[in-house]
Every structure is written in C-alpha cells, then in structure tokens.
Amino acid sequence: MAPLSLRNLFLLIAPAFLTCQLASAALPDGRPNANMMRPPAVPMVGLPDGPVTSRNGTKLPEYNTTYFFDQLIDHNNPSLGTFKQRFWHTYEFYEPGGPIILMTPGEANADGYSGYLTNKTINGLIAQQQSGSTIVIEHRFYGLSNPRPDLSVESLRLHTIQQAVDDLVYFANNVHLPMPDGDKVTPDKAPWILIGGSYSGALTSWTMVNRPGVFFAGYASSAVVEAILDFWQYFEPVRQNMPQNCSSDVQAVISHIDEVFSGRDTKAIQALKDSFGMGSMDHLDDVAGALRNNLWDWQSLQVTSGPGTQFFKFCDALEVKNGQSAPATGWGLDHALSAWSSYFKNTYLPRLCDSDTTVDDCLGTYNTSLPYWTDTSIDDANRSWFWIVCNEVGYLQEGAPKGHPSLVTRLVQPAYDLRQCQQFFPEAFPKPPTVDIAGTNRVFKGWQAKVDRLFFANGIRDPWKDATMSAEGQNIKSTDSQPIALGDGFHCSDLSASGGAVDATISAVQTKALAAMKTWLATWKPARVKEAAKRSEAQIHRRGMSRSLVKSHQCLV
C-alpha cells in the first residue's frame, strides 16, 4: 500500500491531537516525582545503518514507518467502536510459511522501539533464522495508542491486563499486514510468536495462558509473571551482585538513618536531613525513601554498559578514599555517611531533580496540589503504569523485613505507595486500594503457568528476578516444552544481540532459544492451529464479542 502524504497524515491524526493533550515530564528521567518507582521498561535498541531490503532485494519501508490498526476500544463491548493503535513492521527476512513475530514494549511510548524489528534483537534473530516477519505494537494507554482522549479514571477503567491480552489476540486475528499477502498470515494460516520483556514478558505468559491457541510459541524475557504487593525482593539481586564493600556501607547508613528518624532527637534528625540536602522536607519517609534512587540506578545497567555508569559512580563515591578502595566490609558508617550525604547533596540531587523544581516538589509526595497528581493528559507512562500497579500487580519496592539485610529504608512500606495511588486516582480510591494481586495470579497463573512452547529467559543480576520463573525459593522446573534459561544478565539483557556478543551466558540463553524455536516451528501445522484459533474465538463470543473487519493504515514518520 502507498504511504500517505504528510498532508493526509495530518488529516488522519489531527483529530486525536485536537482532543488529546500530551503530558509533559517533570523530571529529567521522565517521572513526575523522584520518590515514585520507575516503570520496569524494556531497554531500547538502536537501528542498523543502511536501507531495509527484503531477501529478494526489494527496498522496503524504513523500520520507523508507523502503521495504524483499528483496535477495539472495549473487548467486552465491541459496539463502542475502535481506536488507532500504532504498530511498526518489516518483512526483511520473511518468506512464505515463516512465522509472524509480535512484540509490545509494554509500559512505554513505543516510538523508538523499532530496533526490535531487526536482528540486533532476539526478535530479529528468530525472524532471520526462521524466515519470519517482525512487528512492534504499542500497548493501549501508552504513547499515542489511546482508546480514550485522556487518562482519567473513567478512561483508565478500560486499561486492564485482560484488555491488553485481548488486544494482542484481536490484532493477530484481524490485522492485514503491509506486505505481500499480508491478509493471509493470521494464526490459522501462519505460526505467530509472541515476545516480550519485563511487564510485556509477563504479558506474553499471561496471554498464552489466558487465550491459548492463538500464539504458537512465545519468548518471555525477565517476565514478572507473579504479581507481588510488597516486592522488597526487588533489591535482593542488587545487594547480592553489587560490590560487597558498597553493599556493606549502604546497609550501615540506611540502618543508621532509620534509627535516627525513628527517634525523638530533633536536632539529629535535622542535621541528617541537612547533610543530604533535604533539610526543608517535612516527611521523613520521603527523605529516607529518596535514597532508593541510588539503588534504582542498578536497573539501567546492562552487560554492555561499560565503566562510568551512574550506579558505580555512586559506589566509587562511597568506597574510594585517597585512591584506595575499601575492603569487603566497607569503610564503616562514619565515612560512608559523610561520603554518601556529600555525593547526594552536591552531585546526585542536582542531576535527579530539574533545576526549576524545588527539592520538596521533586521528592515530597504529600503535596496533592502539585499538578501531576491530577494531570490526565495522554502519553504519561508513569500514570498509566501506576494504574496497573494500583489495581492488579503491586510490585511495591520497599525495605526488607526486619532481620533481613536491607539496602533501603524500612520507613517506606506498602502504605507509602498505596497513598500515592489514592492521590493519583481519588475517584477510584477514596482510601488506599487493596491491590488484587490474588485475582491476577489466579487468572493468569503467575509462577504456576504451564504453557507449551513458551521460553522464559532471565538474568541473575536482574532486580526483577524474584517475580520471574527464576525467583529464589520457587524452584520451578525447566522443561523442553517450557524452558527456563538463566544467564548472568541484568534486566532483559537477552533481548539484545549485543548482550550475547559480550557475555557467554547470555549467548547460551539466546542459542538455546533459537534452537527451541527451530524445533517447535518444525511441528506447526495450519489445521491444528486453525482449530485452536476457533476455540479461542469461541471464548470471545461467550463474552459477548463479535468480530469486525479491521484495516490498517500506513504513514511515514
């Protein structure tokens, strides 16, 4: 199909921008407040240089060509109509009979994730090996794929895991891909592979559990399949894998802060707040909770990160004194407290908070008059993700239980984050919510998932590991039909080909996955999948759905 002109493109998308207001981030890292958890997020991958060509030499649209799919607003009430859901696609490696490989980056604006169409990722490596076509689709209520013109509570009632699962299924069953015979590759005619990482990795498992028979195979990287309310274990892989001297000193400082802040010595409390540059702040849980940011920086690490990353700058500030590194036990409380407070106040805090934002507004979470609490503009990944956190998954990153080593304050407990849910969504939560993690795990099976041809890939150094199939203490068995591979990676490290290029354990995970896909796809037969697809459609009809013809539209960006 021919690309739209810029004028026609504007006419297509202008109505959305006339009725939707885009959110603007308050802080440099995209969060409105630095005491809010960072969304898990799939790491971006850059695009290869040069033109895109098919195997027969045909020049193809650029990877960042944007397409639109008419997705159902509400899968439980199709009469409400459709909205424009963005996706990106290439058939660079495709040959008839090859698989269709679908991925959503999940809780982010998907513009910029078209690198996952290429063989710089596991998606493209599978496509290259199996002669497949790759797709990246934007998750509902992220970026510009919005069933409603805002992120109000009334709109977000359509933002559920189940609706997201049904989006993937409806897309697979109805999309006409912009390639030759792109209307003849639905799951009854071609094998579809669903891929995801982090939340979208969990969504891969949840979809194959909840809507079996549509996706023939799946690949779930760092998939947080188990909903957990008090996810203090988030910091455990950090504690276990960071430099031991840094871990020892961080624990000592945090223990001291908790002791002082829990006491009645107001002068000592004020002096401690002042030393970290947070003397004006009133709430001690905000002050102590702000120090989680230095530990949250671990999530941005990858095996390709190299020296000079933010996390290790922090550890060096604590552990390198007069050119010498501390022993495994650290330098001890006095030096660590002085070094951390100085680094946080003079170096880290100016980087963390926007220059136009006061420390109170950057780190304080009790002032409900700040505009971000009530800003319902679209393209606000933090607000959209918080809705899922507050309703269905939890993953609240708090201090460890007493008696267990802790890198972060115990003054921050689930009530701290659940209060933020109430402040974001007062119409939905007149009081702090009870997150339905039990319902999520019951419907989507969490750690109990048993799915044929679903490959789980996890990393030892991933802070999210203990919500995955490789969680400590779960001892979930890896099988030929549902492999669980564990490398020495960080968060979603195995999604990138560059991770395997520099780390042998990640390369082994990717090699195992490619071999599994080759074995599984050799068994695919259209007739069997067709019957499975019919069974899945029957589930839709039982929920009162009716299918409608959906067309995709193309534009260039």
Side-chain angles (χ1 to χ4, degrees):
M1 55 179 65
L4 296 177
S5 68
L6 289 178
R7 177 181 180 277
N8 287 339
L9 166 59
F10 176 79
L11 292 175
L12 174 65
I13 66 175
F17 287 100
L18 291 174
T19 57
C20 301
Q21 182 179 355
L22 298 178
S24 57
L27 302 182
D29 68 5
R31 291 175 296 166
N33 182 288
N35 251 320
M36 292 176 182
M37 300 175 296
R38 301 176 184 180
V42 172
M44 285 189 176
V45 174
L47 291 172
D49 296 327
V52 186
T53 57
S54 69
R55 282 183 165 168
N56 65 12
T58 302
K59 185 177 180 180
L60 303 180
E62 297 297 320
Y63 295 119
N64 61 358
T65 302
T66 304
Y67 303 90
F68 293 90
F69 174 75
D70 290 334
Q71 183 62 263
L72 291 177
I73 291 172
D74 183 355
H75 293 273
N76 297 314
N77 186 5
S79 66
L80 293 180
T82 62
F83 70 96
K84 299 295 182 185
Q85 187 172 30
R86 297 196 296 180
F87 71 98
W88 293 260
H89 166 262
T90 191
Y91 57 104
E92 177 182 10
F93 301 115
Y94 182 75
E95 295 179 15
I100 309 300
I101 300 164
L102 176 64
M103 177 192 186
T104 176
E107 67 285 22
N109 183 316
D111 191 6
Y113 281 90
S114 49
Y116 283 89
L117 301 175
T118 76
N119 62 1
K120 295 180 74 173
T121 64
I122 192 66
N123 311 40
L125 291 174
I126 295 171
Q128 188 173 30
Q129 173 183 278
Q130 302 295 149
S131 302
S133 171
T134 51
I135 307 165
V136 170
I137 189 170
E138 190 165 64
H139 194 295
R140 65 168 50 213
F141 285 106
Y142 292 96
L144 304 184
S145 296
N146 294 277
R148 297 296 190 198
D150 59 32
L151 301 181
S152 65
V153 166
E154 186 59 31
S155 296
L156 289 172
R157 295 195 190 280
L158 293 171
H159 183 32
T160 66
I161 293 172
Q162 188 64 63
Q163 292 280 357
V165 165
D166 292 343
D167 281 349
L168 297 173
V169 171
Y170 189 80
F171 178 87
N173 283 334
N174 292 277
V175 70
H176 294 182
L177 291 176
M179 68 180 194
D181 293 325
D183 59 341
K184 298 176 182 176
V185 289
T186 46
D188 58 327
K189 301 180 180 69
W192 280 62
I193 301 172
L194 187 58
I195 294 180
S198 192
Y199 159 72
S200 76
L203 191 60
T204 295
S205 177
W206 295 338
T207 300
M208 295 182 71
V209 164
N210 185 251
R211 300 295 301 279
V214 178
F215 295 97
F216 181 72
Y219 183 98
S221 171
S222 295
V224 288
V225 294
E226 182 80 1
I228 301 170
L229 180 65
D230 184 357
F231 188 41
W232 62 269
Q233 297 95 331
Y234 173 92
F235 296 104
E236 281 296 275
V238 185
R239 183 180 66 83
Q240 294 161 354
N241 293 284
M242 69 190 289
Q244 190 173 345
N245 53 8
C246 190
S247 173
S248 297
D249 278 341
V250 166
Q251 291 174 59
V253 172
I254 290 299
S255 179
H256 173 73
I257 289 173
D258 281 0
E259 182 179 356
V260 173
F261 283 1
S262 298
R264 297 183 179 181
D265 188 338
T266 56
K267 289 184 178 179
I269 290 171
Q270 188 61 45
L272 197 51
K273 291 197 299 178
D274 288 340
S275 70
F276 280 91
M278 295 183 277
S280 63
M281 295 179 63
D282 295 326
H283 297 277
L284 298 181
D285 50 1
D286 281 341
V287 177
L291 302 181
R292 291 179 296 173
N293 281 282
N294 294 122
L295 286 309
W296 278 330
D297 285 334
W298 181 271
Q299 184 172 299
S300 64
L301 295 176
Q302 287 297 337
V303 293
T304 54
S305 294
T309 59
Q310 190 61 51
F311 183 87
F312 289 107
K313 287 180 181 178
F314 161 66
C315 278
D316 285 348
L318 271 63
E319 302 310 321
V320 179
K321 181 171 62 171
N322 299 324
Q324 298 293 317
S325 294
T329 54
W331 292 119
L333 175 61
D334 290 344
H335 174 80
L337 178 60
S338 174
W340 191 352
S341 60
S342 176
Y343 174 78
F344 191 88
K345 178 180 180 178
N346 299 313
T347 302
Y348 192 79
L349 197 55
R351 170 190 172 274
L352 181 67
C353 300
D354 189 273
S355 58
D356 297 328
T357 305
T358 67
V359 171
D360 299 69
D361 288 349
C362 174
L363 296 168
T365 62
Y366 286 83
N367 182 2
T368 56
S369 69
L370 293 174
Y372 58 76
W373 295 113
T374 54
D375 185 357
T376 61
S377 306
I378 65 167
D379 197 16
D380 183 346
N382 184 82
R383 184 176 179 86
S384 293
W385 174 241
F386 238 81
W387 177 259
I388 295 295
V389 164
C390 299
N391 282 283
E392 299 190 84
V393 297
Y395 302 138
L396 309 182
Q397 295 148 27
E398 327 292 25
K402 288 184 178 180
H404 191 95
S406 186
L407 296 177
V408 301
T409 178
R410 293 186 175 91
L411 298 182
V412 172
Q413 293 297 317
Y416 179 86
D417 293 308
L418 296 176
R419 171 180 51 80
Q420 294 181 27
C421 292
Q422 186 181 11
Q423 292 171 192
F424 264 125
F425 313 110
E427 302 91 341
F429 309 124
K431 60 182 181 179
T434 299
V435 185
D436 189 19
I437 59 169
T440 300
N441 292 329
R442 182 181 63 255
V443 172
F444 300 108
K445 304 306 180 186
W447 288 321
Q448 308 305 315
K450 297 288 188 294
V451 182
D452 286 340
R453 300 179 300 278
L454 175 55
F455 192 100
F456 287 101
N458 298 313
I460 290 173
R461 292 181 283 180
D462 180 9
W464 294 90
K465 179 176 72 71
D466 284 342
T468 75
M469 298 294 262
S470 297
E472 291 294 320
Q474 293 303 311
N475 302 315
I476 301 169
K477 185 179 179 182
S478 176
T479 65
D480 289 343
S481 62
Q482 187 177 285
I484 303 171
L486 183 64
D488 196 31
F490 294 92
H491 193 53
C492 299
S493 295
D494 52 276
L495 286 178
S496 171
S498 63
V502 300
D503 188 294
T505 67
I506 296 173
S507 177
V509 169
Q510 294 170 338
T511 299
K512 185 175 181 179
L514 289 168
M517 291 296 169
K518 184 176 182 179
T519 298
W520 294 340
L521 287 168
T523 69
W524 183 82
K525 291 188 171 44
R528 185 173 65 190
V529 173
K530 184 174 181 179
E531 290 304 312
K534 285 181 178 179
R535 289 195 299 272
S536 187
E537 283 300 311
Q539 294 179 16
I540 299 177
H541 289 301
R542 284 195 295 271
R543 288 165 49 192
M545 289 189 60
S546 62
R547 295 183 63 186
S548 60
L549 179 64
V550 178
K551 297 179 180 179
S552 54
H553 305 281
Q554 179 184 34
C555 70
L556 293 179
V557 294

